[in-house]
Amino acid sequence: MSINYVVTKKVDKTKGEVKVRYYATTRAMQKKPVDSSQIAMQLAERSSLQDGDVMSVLTQLSGIIAGHLHEGRTVSIDGLGNFFPTISSEGVEKPEECTADKVWVARIGFKAAPAFLKKVRIKTKFISIQLQEGRKAAAKKKKKAAEAGNEK
């Protein structure tokens, strides 16, 4: 399997000069997400648990993690990585104006464990959506030209 990507242009204005750079990004249409039932089935195949048992654990896991994050704690899962809350607030003019009622959890961060990241990196392949579409368009154009030549 592979990860689809597109190349996007970004302008770098640091150090007083404008540089145009191109980067691979995953904004391209991605494949259908894997859901909990698929994960449960795969875990059941690799363990002595039944699908329903694994599904129950997965359902309870999100609530348990959320409870710890709610307390401001980082949740570390061996072999996977760390989940942690990130916060933000309204902009204020004075530090004392930044009160608790102006603060919220902006998102949940995840930092992959090094071994987990290595597993993902080793087997990952990439496919440029732009190159694939360009090749398909060129092939269509060539086919139409050939068909037009045969009609004469």
Side-chain angles (χ1 to χ4, degrees):
M1 297 305 287
S2 60
I3 295 175
N4 298 331
Y5 72 93
V6 295
V7 178
T8 56
K9 177 174 139 180
K10 293 182 184 177
V11 179
D12 180 6
K13 296 179 182 177
T14 57
K15 299 180 185 174
E17 60 182 272
V18 176
K19 287 184 182 177
V20 175
R21 298 283 188 235
Y22 296 89
Y23 299 89
T25 59
T26 56
R27 286 188 229 166
M29 185 177 86
Q30 294 299 313
K31 299 167 182 102
K32 180 181 174 189
V34 176
D35 63 18
S36 297
S37 63
Q38 289 174 284
I39 298 290
M41 216 169 25
Q42 288 178 301
L43 285 169
E45 288 171 2
R46 295 179 184 196
S47 70
S48 61
L49 300 172
Q50 297 297 312
D51 294 6
D53 298 328
V54 177
M55 197 64 187
S56 176
V57 169
L58 290 174
T59 301
Q60 297 303 317
L61 182 63
S62 68
I64 290 169
I65 291 173
H68 291 296
L69 294 174
H70 177 74
E71 296 171 354
R73 300 180 71 188
T74 294
V75 176
S76 179
I77 299 178
D78 292 342
L80 189 61
N82 297 327
F83 294 89
F84 52 92
T86 64
I87 62 170
S88 190
S89 69
E90 296 176 21
V92 293
E93 292 182 20
K94 298 176 188 170
E96 59 271 11
E97 293 175 354
C98 190
T99 56
D101 62 326
K102 295 181 175 118
V103 179
W104 63 86
V105 174
R107 65 181 183 86
I108 302 302
F110 173 73
K111 184 171 188 316
F116 179 66
L117 185 56
K118 185 177 179 181
K119 285 178 188 177
V120 173
R121 284 181 173 160
I122 286 175
K123 297 181 180 182
T124 303
K125 299 198 182 328
F126 301 92
I127 295 178
S128 168
I129 297 297
Q130 291 152 319
L131 290 177
Q132 281 186 329
E133 289 174 357
R135 288 183 188 133
K136 287 178 185 176
K140 258 186 192 178
K141 194 174 186 180
K142 189 175 179 180
K143 184 178 177 182
K144 281 185 179 181
E147 288 172 354
N150 288 340
E151 290 177 10
K152 291 180 182 176

